[in-house]
Coordinates of all heavy atoms in Angstrom, one line a residue:
M251 N 20.1 7.8 -11.6 CA 18.8 8.3 -12.1 C 18.1 8.7 -10.9 O 18.0 8.0 -10.0 CB 18.1 7.3 -12.9 CG 16.7 7.5 -13.3 SD 15.9 6.2 -14.2 CE 16.6 6.5 -15.8
P252 N 17.5 9.9 -11.0 CA 16.7 10.4 -9.9 C 15.3 9.6 -9.8 O 14.8 9.2 -10.7 CB 16.4 12.0 -10.1 CG 16.5 12.0 -11.6 CD 17.5 10.9 -12.0
L253 N 14.8 9.5 -8.5 CA 13.5 8.9 -8.3 C 12.5 9.9 -8.9 O 12.6 11.1 -8.8 CB 13.3 8.7 -6.8 CG 13.9 7.6 -6.2 CD1 13.4 7.5 -4.7 CD2 13.7 6.4 -6.8
T254 N 11.4 9.3 -9.4 CA 10.2 10.1 -9.9 C 9.0 9.5 -9.2 O 8.9 8.5 -8.6 CB 10.0 9.8 -11.4 OG1 9.9 8.5 -11.7 CG2 11.3 10.4 -12.2
S255 N 7.9 10.4 -9.3 CA 6.6 10.1 -8.6 C 6.1 8.8 -9.1 O 6.1 8.5 -10.3 CB 5.7 11.2 -8.9 OG 6.0 12.4 -8.2
G256 N 5.5 8.0 -8.2 CA 4.8 6.9 -8.5 C 3.4 7.0 -8.3 O 2.8 8.0 -8.7
R257 N 2.8 6.1 -7.5 CA 1.3 6.2 -7.3 C 1.0 6.3 -5.8 O 1.7 5.8 -5.0 CB 0.6 4.9 -8.0 CG 1.0 3.6 -7.3 CD 0.6 2.5 -8.3 NE 1.2 1.3 -7.8 CZ 0.6 0.4 -6.9 NH1 -0.5 0.7 -6.5 NH2 1.3 -0.7 -6.5
F258 N -0.2 6.8 -5.5 CA -0.8 6.8 -4.2 C -1.4 5.4 -4.1 O -2.2 5.0 -5.0 CB -1.8 7.9 -4.1 CG -2.5 8.0 -2.8 CD1 -2.0 8.5 -1.7 CD2 -3.8 7.3 -2.7 CE1 -2.6 8.5 -0.4 CE2 -4.4 7.2 -1.5 CZ -3.9 7.8 -0.3
I259 N -1.0 4.7 -3.1 CA -1.6 3.4 -2.9 C -2.7 3.3 -1.9 O -3.8 2.8 -2.1 CB -0.5 2.4 -2.4 CG1 0.6 2.3 -3.5 CG2 -1.1 1.0 -2.1 CD1 1.8 1.6 -3.1
G260 N -2.7 4.0 -0.8 CA -3.8 4.2 0.1 C -3.4 4.4 1.6 O -2.2 4.5 1.9
H261 N -4.4 4.6 2.3 CA -4.3 4.9 3.7 C -4.6 3.7 4.5 O -5.7 3.1 4.3 CB -5.2 6.1 4.1 CG -5.3 6.5 5.6 ND1 -6.5 6.6 6.3 CD2 -4.3 6.6 6.5 CE1 -6.3 6.9 7.5 NE2 -4.9 6.8 7.7
E262 N -3.7 3.3 5.5 CA -4.0 2.1 6.3 C -4.1 2.8 7.7 O -3.1 3.0 8.3 CB -2.7 1.1 6.3 CG -2.7 0.4 5.0 CD -1.8 -0.8 5.1 OE1 -1.5 -1.4 6.3 OE2 -1.2 -1.2 4.1
Q263 N -5.4 2.9 8.1 CA -5.7 3.5 9.2 C -5.3 2.8 10.5 O -4.8 3.4 11.4 CB -7.3 3.9 9.4 CG -7.7 4.6 10.6 CD -9.2 4.8 10.6 OE1 -9.8 4.6 9.6 NE2 -9.6 5.5 11.7
D264 N -5.4 1.5 10.5 CA -4.9 0.7 11.5 C -3.4 0.8 11.9 O -3.0 0.7 13.0 CB -5.4 -0.7 11.4 CG -4.8 -1.4 10.2 OD1 -4.7 -0.8 9.2 OD2 -4.5 -2.6 10.3
R265 N -2.6 1.0 10.8 CA -1.1 1.2 10.9 C -0.7 2.6 11.1 O 0.4 2.9 11.3 CB -0.4 0.4 9.8 CG -0.6 -1.0 9.8 CD 0.1 -1.8 8.6 NE 1.4 -1.5 8.5 CZ 2.2 -1.6 7.4 NH1 1.5 -2.1 6.3 NH2 3.5 -1.5 7.4
G266 N -1.6 3.5 10.7 CA -1.3 5.0 10.8 C -0.3 5.4 9.7 O 0.6 6.2 10.0
I267 N -0.5 4.9 8.5 CA 0.5 5.1 7.4 C -0.3 5.3 6.0 O -1.4 5.0 6.0 CB 1.5 4.0 7.1 CG1 0.8 2.7 6.8 CG2 2.4 3.8 8.4 CD1 1.7 1.7 6.2
I268 N 0.3 6.2 5.3 CA -0.1 6.2 3.9 C 1.0 5.5 3.0 O 2.2 5.8 3.2 CB 0.0 7.9 3.5 CG1 -1.1 8.6 4.3 CG2 -0.2 7.9 1.9 CD1 -2.5 8.3 3.9
Q269 N 0.6 4.6 2.2 CA 1.5 3.9 1.3 C 1.4 4.6 -0.1 O 0.4 5.1 -0.7 CB 1.1 2.5 1.2 CG 1.4 1.7 2.4 CD 1.0 0.3 2.2 OE1 -0.1 -0.1 1.9 NE2 2.0 -0.5 2.5
F270 N 2.6 4.7 -0.7 CA 2.8 5.3 -2.0 C 4.0 4.6 -2.6 O 4.7 3.8 -2.0 CB 2.8 6.8 -2.0 CG 4.1 7.3 -1.3 CD1 5.2 7.8 -2.0 CD2 4.2 7.4 0.1 CE1 6.3 8.3 -1.3 CE2 5.2 7.9 0.9 CZ 6.3 8.4 0.1
S271 N 4.3 5.0 -3.9 CA 5.5 4.4 -4.5 C 6.2 5.5 -5.2 O 5.6 6.5 -5.6 CB 5.1 3.3 -5.5 OG 4.4 3.8 -6.6
M272 N 7.4 5.2 -5.6 CA 8.2 6.1 -6.4 C 9.0 5.1 -7.4 O 8.9 3.9 -7.3 CB 9.2 6.9 -5.6 CG 8.5 7.8 -4.7 SD 9.5 9.1 -3.8 CE 10.0 10.0 -5.2
H273 N 9.5 5.7 -8.5 CA 10.2 4.9 -9.4 C 11.6 5.2 -9.6 O 11.9 6.6 -9.7 CB 9.4 5.1 -10.8 CG 8.0 4.6 -10.8 ND1 7.8 3.2 -11.0 CD2 6.8 5.2 -10.6 CE1 6.5 3.0 -10.9 NE2 5.9 4.2 -10.7
D274 N 12.4 4.3 -9.8 CA 13.8 4.4 -10.1 C 13.9 3.7 -11.5 O 14.0 2.5 -11.6 CB 14.8 3.7 -9.2 CG 16.2 3.8 -9.5 OD1 16.5 4.5 -10.5 OD2 17.1 3.3 -8.8
G275 N 13.7 4.7 -12.5 CA 13.6 4.0 -13.9 C 12.3 3.2 -14.0 O 11.2 3.7 -13.6
A276 N 12.4 2.0 -14.3 CA 11.2 1.0 -14.4 C 10.9 0.4 -13.1 O 9.9 -0.3 -12.9 CB 11.5 0.0 -15.5
K277 N 11.8 0.5 -12.1 CA 11.7 -0.2 -10.9 C 10.8 0.6 -9.8 O 11.0 1.7 -9.6 CB 13.0 -0.4 -10.2 CG 13.0 -1.2 -8.9 CD 14.4 -1.3 -8.3 CE 14.3 -2.0 -7.0 NZ 15.7 -2.1 -6.4
E278 N 9.7 0.0 -9.4 CA 8.8 0.5 -8.4 C 9.3 0.5 -7.0 O 9.7 -0.7 -6.6 CB 7.4 0.1 -8.5 CG 6.5 0.9 -7.7 CD 5.0 0.4 -7.9 OE1 4.7 -0.8 -7.8 OE2 4.2 1.3 -8.1
I279 N 9.5 1.4 -6.3 CA 10.0 1.5 -4.9 C 8.8 1.7 -3.9 O 8.1 2.8 -4.0 CB 11.1 2.7 -4.7 CG1 12.1 2.7 -5.8 CG2 11.7 2.5 -3.3 CD1 12.9 1.4 -5.9
P280 N 8.6 0.7 -3.1 CA 7.5 0.9 -2.0 C 7.9 2.0 -1.0 O 9.0 1.9 -0.5 CB 7.3 -0.5 -1.5 CG 8.6 -1.1 -1.6 CD 9.2 -0.6 -3.0
C281 N 7.0 2.8 -0.6 CA 7.3 3.9 0.4 C 6.0 4.0 1.3 O 4.9 3.6 0.9 CB 7.5 5.2 -0.4 SG 8.9 5.2 -1.6
A282 N 6.3 4.5 2.4 CA 5.2 4.8 3.3 C 5.6 6.1 4.2 O 6.7 6.4 4.4 CB 5.0 3.6 4.3
I283 N 4.7 6.8 4.6 CA 4.8 8.0 5.6 C 3.8 7.8 6.7 O 2.7 7.4 6.4 CB 4.8 9.3 4.9 CG1 5.1 10.4 5.9 CG2 3.4 9.5 4.2 CD1 5.3 11.8 5.3
S284 N 4.2 8.0 7.9 CA 3.2 8.0 9.0 C 2.3 9.1 8.9 O 2.7 10.3 8.4 CB 3.9 8.0 10.3 OG 4.6 9.2 10.7
T285 N 1.0 9.0 9.3 CA 0.1 10.0 9.3 C 0.5 11.1 10.3 O 0.3 12.3 10.1 CB -1.3 9.5 9.6 OG1 -1.4 8.8 10.8 CG2 -1.9 8.6 8.4
S286 N 1.2 10.6 11.4 CA 1.7 11.7 12.4 C 2.7 12.6 11.7 O 2.8 13.8 12.0 CB 2.1 11.0 13.7 OG 3.2 10.2 13.4
A287 N 3.5 12.1 10.9 CA 4.5 12.9 10.3 C 3.9 13.8 9.3 O 4.3 15.1 9.3 CB 5.5 12.0 9.4
M288 N 2.8 13.5 8.7 CA 2.2 14.5 7.7 C 1.5 15.5 8.6 O 1.5 16.7 8.2 CB 1.0 13.7 6.9 CG 1.8 12.8 5.8 SD 0.7 12.3 4.5 CE -0.8 11.9 5.3
D289 N 0.8 15.1 9.8 CA 0.2 16.1 10.7 C 1.3 17.1 11.2 O 1.1 18.3 11.2 CB -0.5 15.5 11.8 CG -1.8 14.7 11.3 OD1 -2.3 15.0 10.3 OD2 -2.2 13.8 12.1
D290 N 2.4 16.6 11.5 CA 3.6 17.6 11.9 C 4.0 18.4 10.9 O 4.3 19.6 11.0 CB 4.7 16.6 12.4 CG 4.5 15.9 13.8 OD1 3.4 16.2 14.4 OD2 5.3 15.0 14.1
L291 N 4.1 18.0 9.6 CA 4.5 18.8 8.5 C 3.6 19.9 8.4 O 3.9 21.1 7.9 CB 4.6 18.0 7.2 CG 5.8 17.2 7.0 CD1 5.7 16.2 5.9 CD2 7.0 18.0 6.9
E292 N 2.3 19.7 8.5 CA 1.3 20.8 8.4 C 1.1 21.8 9.6 O 0.4 22.7 9.6 CB 0.0 20.2 7.9 CG 0.0 19.7 6.5 CD -1.4 19.6 5.9 OE1 -2.3 18.9 6.5 OE2 -1.6 20.1 4.8
R293 N 1.6 21.2 10.7 CA 1.6 21.9 12.0 C 0.2 22.3 12.4 O -0.1 23.4 12.8 CB 2.5 23.1 11.9 CG 3.8 22.7 11.8 CD 4.8 23.8 11.7 NE 6.1 23.2 11.3 CZ 7.2 23.7 11.7 NH1 7.3 24.7 12.5 NH2 8.3 23.2 11.2
G294 N -0.7 21.5 12.1 CA -2.2 21.7 12.4 C -2.8 20.6 13.2 O -2.0 19.7 13.6
P295 N -4.1 20.6 13.3 CA -4.8 19.5 14.0 C -4.8 18.2 13.2 O -4.5 18.3 11.9 CB -6.2 20.1 14.1 CG -6.4 20.9 13.0 CD -5.0 21.6 12.8
K296 N -4.9 17.1 13.8 CA -5.0 15.8 13.1 C -6.0 15.9 12.1 O -7.1 16.3 12.2 CB -5.3 14.7 14.3 CG -5.3 13.3 13.6 CD -5.5 12.3 14.7 CE -5.6 11.0 14.0 NZ -5.9 9.9 15.0
V297 N -5.7 15.3 10.9 CA -6.5 15.3 9.7 C -7.4 14.1 9.8 O -7.0 13.0 10.2 CB -5.7 15.3 8.4 CG1 -6.5 15.1 7.2 CG2 -5.0 16.6 8.3
A298 N -8.7 14.3 9.5 CA -9.7 13.2 9.5 C -9.3 12.2 8.4 O -8.7 12.5 7.3 CB -11.1 13.7 9.2
T299 N -9.7 10.9 8.6 CA -9.4 9.8 7.7 C -9.7 10.0 6.2 O -8.9 9.8 5.4 CB -10.0 8.5 8.3 OG1 -9.6 8.2 9.6 CG2 -9.8 7.4 7.4
E300 N -10.9 10.6 6.1 CA -11.4 10.8 4.7 C -10.6 11.9 4.0 O -10.7 12.0 2.8 CB -12.9 11.1 4.7 CG -13.3 12.4 5.5 CD -13.6 12.1 6.9 OE1 -13.3 11.1 7.4 OE2 -14.2 13.0 7.5
H301 N -9.8 12.7 4.7 CA -9.0 13.8 4.1 C -7.5 13.4 4.0 O -6.7 14.3 3.6 CB -9.1 15.1 4.8 CG -10.5 15.6 4.9 ND1 -11.2 15.9 3.9 CD2 -11.4 15.6 5.9 CE1 -12.5 16.2 4.2 NE2 -12.6 16.1 5.5
R302 N -7.1 12.2 4.2 CA -5.6 11.8 4.2 C -5.1 11.8 2.8 O -4.0 12.3 2.7 CB -5.4 10.5 4.7 CG -5.6 10.4 6.4 CD -4.5 11.1 7.0 NE -4.5 11.1 8.5 CZ -3.9 11.8 9.2 NH1 -2.9 12.6 8.8 NH2 -4.0 11.7 10.6
E303 N -5.8 11.4 1.8 CA -5.3 11.4 0.4 C -5.0 12.9 0.0 O -4.0 13.2 -0.6 CB -6.1 10.7 -0.6 CG -5.5 10.7 -2.0 CD -6.3 9.8 -2.9 OE1 -7.3 9.2 -2.6 OE2 -5.9 9.7 -4.1
A304 N -5.9 13.9 0.4 CA -5.8 15.2 -0.1 C -4.6 15.8 0.7 O -3.9 16.6 0.1 CB -7.0 16.0 0.3
Q305 N -4.4 15.4 1.9 CA -3.2 15.9 2.7 C -2.0 15.4 2.0 O -0.9 16.2 1.9 CB -3.4 15.4 4.2 CG -2.2 15.9 5.0 CD -2.2 15.3 6.4 OE1 -2.6 14.1 6.5 NE2 -1.8 16.0 7.4
F306 N -1.9 14.1 1.7 CA -0.8 13.6 1.0 C -0.5 14.4 -0.4 O 0.6 14.7 -0.5 CB -1.0 12.2 0.7 CG 0.2 11.5 -0.2 CD1 1.4 11.1 0.5 CD2 0.1 11.3 -1.5 CE1 2.5 10.6 -0.3 CE2 1.1 10.8 -2.3 CZ 2.3 10.5 -1.6
T307 N -1.5 14.7 -1.0 CA -1.3 15.4 -2.3 C -0.7 16.8 -1.9 O 0.1 17.3 -2.7 CB -2.7 15.5 -3.0 OG1 -3.1 14.2 -3.4 CG2 -2.5 16.3 -4.3
R308 N -1.2 17.4 -1.0 CA -0.7 18.8 -0.6 C 0.8 18.7 -0.2 O 1.6 19.7 -0.5 CB -1.5 19.4 0.7 CG -2.8 20.0 0.3 CD -3.4 20.8 1.4 NE -3.4 20.1 2.7 CZ -4.4 19.2 3.2 NH1 -5.4 19.0 2.3 NH2 -4.4 18.7 4.3
L309 N 1.2 17.7 0.4 CA 2.6 17.6 0.9 C 3.5 16.7 0.0 O 4.6 16.5 0.4 CB 2.5 17.0 2.3 CG 1.7 17.7 3.4 CD1 1.5 16.8 4.7 CD2 2.5 18.9 3.7
R310 N 3.0 16.2 -1.1 CA 3.7 15.3 -1.9 C 5.1 15.7 -2.3 O 6.0 14.9 -2.2 CB 2.9 15.0 -3.2 CG 3.4 13.9 -3.9 CD 2.5 13.4 -5.0 NE 2.9 12.1 -5.4 CZ 2.1 11.1 -5.9 NH1 0.8 11.4 -6.0 NH2 2.5 9.9 -6.2
D311 N 5.3 16.9 -2.8 CA 6.7 17.3 -3.0 C 7.6 17.2 -2.0 O 8.8 16.7 -2.1 CB 6.7 18.9 -3.5 CG 6.0 19.0 -4.8 OD1 5.8 18.0 -5.6 OD2 5.6 20.2 -5.3
R312 N 7.2 17.7 -0.7 CA 8.2 17.5 0.5 C 8.4 16.1 0.8 O 9.5 15.6 1.2 CB 7.6 18.3 1.6 CG 7.7 19.8 1.5 CD 6.9 20.5 2.5 NE 7.7 20.5 3.8 CZ 7.1 20.9 4.9 NH1 6.0 21.5 5.0 NH2 7.8 20.8 6.1
I313 N 7.4 15.3 0.7 CA 7.3 13.8 1.1 C 8.3 13.1 0.1 O 9.2 12.3 0.5 CB 6.1 13.2 1.1 CG1 5.2 13.7 2.3 CG2 6.1 11.7 1.1 CD1 3.8 13.4 2.2
E314 N 8.2 13.3 -1.2 CA 9.0 12.7 -2.2 C 10.4 13.2 -2.1 O 11.3 12.3 -2.4 CB 8.2 12.8 -3.6 CG 7.0 12.1 -3.7 CD 6.4 12.1 -5.1 OE1 6.8 13.0 -5.8 OE2 5.6 11.3 -5.4
T315 N 10.6 14.4 -1.8 CA 12.0 14.9 -1.7 C 12.8 14.2 -0.7 O 14.0 13.7 -0.8 CB 12.1 16.5 -1.5 OG1 11.5 17.1 -2.6 CG2 13.5 16.9 -1.3
R316 N 12.1 14.0 0.5 CA 12.7 13.3 1.6 C 12.9 11.8 1.4 O 13.9 11.2 1.7 CB 12.0 13.5 2.9 CG 12.7 13.0 4.1 CD 14.0 13.7 4.3 NE 14.6 13.0 5.5 CZ 15.8 12.4 5.3 NH1 16.3 12.4 4.1 NH2 16.4 11.8 6.3
A317 N 11.9 11.2 0.7 CA 12.0 9.7 0.3 C 13.1 9.5 -0.6 O 13.9 8.5 -0.5 CB 10.7 9.3 -0.3
A318 N 13.3 10.5 -1.6 CA 14.5 10.4 -2.6 C 15.7 10.5 -1.8 O 16.8 9.7 -2.1 CB 14.3 11.4 -3.6
S319 N 15.8 11.3 -0.9 CA 17.1 11.4 0.0 C 17.4 10.1 0.8 O 18.6 9.7 0.7 CB 16.9 12.6 1.0 OG 18.0 12.7 1.8
K320 N 16.3 9.5 1.3 CA 16.6 8.3 2.0 C 17.0 7.1 1.1 O 17.7 6.2 1.5 CB 15.3 7.9 2.9 CG 15.2 8.7 4.2 CD 14.1 8.3 5.0 CE 14.6 7.1 5.9 NZ 13.6 6.8 7.0
Y321 N 16.4 7.2 -0.1 CA 16.8 6.2 -1.2 C 18.2 6.3 -1.5 O 18.9 5.3 -1.6 CB 15.8 6.4 -2.3 CG 16.0 5.3 -3.5 CD1 15.4 4.1 -3.3 CD2 16.7 5.7 -4.6 CE1 15.7 3.1 -4.3 CE2 16.9 4.7 -5.5 CZ 16.4 3.5 -5.4 OH 16.5 2.6 -6.5
R322 N 18.6 7.5 -1.8 CA 20.1 7.7 -2.2 C 21.1 7.3 -1.1 O 22.0 6.8 -1.3 CB 20.3 9.2 -2.5 CG 19.8 9.6 -3.8 CD 20.3 11.0 -4.2 NE 20.0 12.0 -3.2 CZ 18.8 12.6 -3.2 NH1 17.8 12.5 -4.2 NH2 18.5 13.6 -2.3
A323 N 20.6 7.3 0.2 CA 21.4 7.0 1.2 C 21.2 5.5 1.7 O 21.8 5.0 2.7 CB 21.0 7.8 2.5
C324 N 20.4 4.8 0.9 CA 20.2 3.3 1.1 C 19.6 3.0 2.4 O 19.9 2.0 3.1 CB 21.4 2.5 0.7 SG 22.0 2.7 -0.9
E325 N 18.7 3.9 2.9 CA 18.0 3.7 4.2 C 16.7 2.9 4.1 O 15.6 3.5 4.2 CB 17.8 5.0 4.9 CG 19.0 5.8 5.3 CD 18.8 7.1 5.8 OE1 17.7 7.4 6.4 OE2 19.8 8.0 5.8
F326 N 16.9 1.7 3.7 CA 15.7 0.9 3.4 C 15.2 0.1 4.7 O 16.0 -0.2 5.5 CB 15.9 -0.2 2.4 CG 16.4 0.4 1.0 CD1 17.8 0.4 0.7 CD2 15.6 1.0 0.2 CE1 18.2 0.9 -0.6 CE2 15.9 1.6 -1.0 CZ 17.3 1.6 -1.3
E327 N 13.9 -0.2 4.7 CA 13.3 -0.9 5.8 C 12.3 -2.0 5.2 O 11.7 -1.7 4.2 CB 12.6 0.0 6.7 CG 13.4 1.0 7.5 CD 12.6 1.9 8.5 OE1 11.8 1.3 9.2 OE2 12.7 3.1 8.4
G328 N 12.1 -2.9 6.0 CA 11.0 -3.9 5.7 C 11.3 -5.0 4.5 O 12.4 -5.0 4.1
T329 N 10.3 -5.8 4.3 CA 10.3 -6.8 3.3 C 9.0 -6.7 2.4 O 8.0 -6.9 2.9 CB 10.5 -8.2 3.9 OG1 11.6 -8.2 4.8 CG2 10.6 -9.2 2.8
P330 N 9.2 -6.4 1.2 CA 10.4 -6.0 0.4 C 10.9 -4.7 0.9 O 10.2 -3.9 1.4 CB 9.9 -5.9 -1.0 CG 8.5 -5.6 -0.9 CD 7.9 -6.2 0.4
P331 N 12.2 -4.5 0.7 CA 12.9 -3.2 1.2 C 12.2 -2.0 0.6 O 11.9 -1.9 -0.6 CB 14.3 -3.3 0.7 CG 14.5 -4.8 0.4 CD 13.2 -5.3 0.0
G332 N 11.8 -1.0 1.4 CA 11.3 0.2 0.9 C 11.7 1.4 1.8 O 12.5 1.2 2.6
I333 N 11.1 2.5 1.5 CA 11.4 3.8 2.3 C 10.3 4.1 3.3 O 9.1 4.0 2.8 CB 11.5 4.9 1.3 CG1 12.7 4.7 0.3 CG2 11.8 6.2 2.0 CD1 14.1 4.4 0.9
V334 N 10.6 4.2 4.5 CA 9.6 4.6 5.5 C 9.9 6.0 6.0 O 11.1 6.2 6.6 CB 9.5 3.6 6.6 CG1 8.5 4.0 7.7 CG2 9.2 2.1 6.0
L335 N 9.1 6.8 6.1 CA 9.2 8.2 6.6 C 8.5 8.5 7.9 O 7.3 8.2 7.9 CB 8.8 9.2 5.6 CG 9.5 9.2 4.2 CD1 8.8 10.1 3.2 CD2 10.9 9.6 4.4
R336 N 9.1 9.0 8.7 CA 8.5 9.4 10.2 C 8.8 10.8 10.4 O 9.6 11.5 9.7 CB 9.1 8.5 11.2 CG 8.9 7.0 11.1 CD 9.8 6.3 12.1 NE 9.5 4.8 11.8 CZ 10.2 4.1 11.1 NH1 11.1 4.7 10.2 NH2 10.0 2.8 10.9
S337 N 8.2 11.4 11.4 CA 8.4 12.8 11.8 C 9.8 13.2 12.0 O 10.3 14.2 11.5 CB 7.6 13.1 13.1 OG 6.2 13.0 13.0
I338 N 10.6 12.4 12.5 CA 12.0 12.7 12.7 C 12.8 12.9 11.4 O 13.8 13.5 11.3 CB 12.7 11.5 13.6 CG1 14.0 11.9 14.1 CG2 12.9 10.2 12.8 CD1 14.7 11.2 15.2
D339 N 12.3 12.3 10.4 CA 13.0 12.4 9.0 C 12.9 13.9 8.4 O 13.6 14.2 7.5 CB 12.4 11.5 8.0 CG 12.8 10.0 8.4 OD1 14.0 9.7 8.7 OD2 11.8 9.2 8.3
F340 N 12.0 14.6 9.0 CA 11.7 16.0 8.6 C 12.2 17.0 9.5 O 12.1 18.3 9.2 CB 10.2 16.2 8.3 CG 9.7 15.4 7.3 CD1 9.2 14.1 7.5 CD2 9.8 15.7 5.9 CE1 8.6 13.3 6.5 CE2 9.3 14.9 4.8 CZ 8.8 13.7 5.2
R341 N 12.9 16.6 10.5 CA 13.5 17.6 11.5 C 14.9 18.0 11.2 O 15.6 17.2 10.6 CB 13.5 17.0 12.9 CG 12.1 16.8 13.4 CD 12.1 16.3 14.8 NE 10.8 15.9 15.2 CZ 10.5 14.9 16.0 NH1 11.4 14.1 16.4 NH2 9.3 14.6 16.2
G342 N 15.3 19.2 11.4 CA 16.6 19.7 11.2 C 16.9 20.4 9.9 O 16.8 20.8 9.0

């Protein structure tokens, strides 16, 4: 079953990440992307804190596509296991 969109959880400024979730059926999968990865995807200046959710929304399709790829490859990190995206995940 393919992953589907979940919810935007929030921006953790001190950790430099956006937390969100995806769903594998009824199972919620915790996910995160670094804010630097999002800035790299847009190839522009660093986005202000108050605009991070809008930036995530603009990039959501690309972010979720890559998260689904890492999920299929079982590339989990953390406790509980989840998907973490960094700039390197979008290269190549």
Side-chain angles (χ1 to χ4, degrees):
M251 172 177 278
L253 286 187
T254 57
S255 291
R257 61 192 173 97
F258 176 86
I259 297 170
H261 174 221
E262 287 194 29
Q263 186 174 356
D264 59 323
R265 293 176 60 199
I267 62 167
I268 296 291
Q269 291 185 302
F270 63 102
S271 69
M272 294 188 72
H273 293 279
D274 181 359
K277 182 179 178 183
E278 186 174 49
I279 310 302
C281 302
I283 183 168
S284 71
T285 54
S286 61
M288 292 196 315
D289 290 342
D290 288 349
L291 281 171
E292 288 199 309
R293 298 177 192 215
K296 182 178 175 182
V297 171
T299 299
E300 62 270 15
H301 300 294
R302 287 294 182 186
E303 184 172 358
Q305 182 186 34
F306 176 81
T307 300
R308 286 192 303 275
L309 298 169
R310 190 170 198 147
D311 287 344
R312 291 173 70 188
I313 292 168
E314 289 182 345
T315 296
R316 188 63 189 113
S319 176
K320 285 188 84 165
Y321 182 79
R322 285 189 303 275
C324 297
E325 295 178 21
F326 302 104
E327 296 181 48
T329 305
I333 301 298
V334 178
L335 301 170
R336 297 173 182 84
S337 294
I338 195 166
D339 294 311
F340 296 93
R341 293 184 186 141

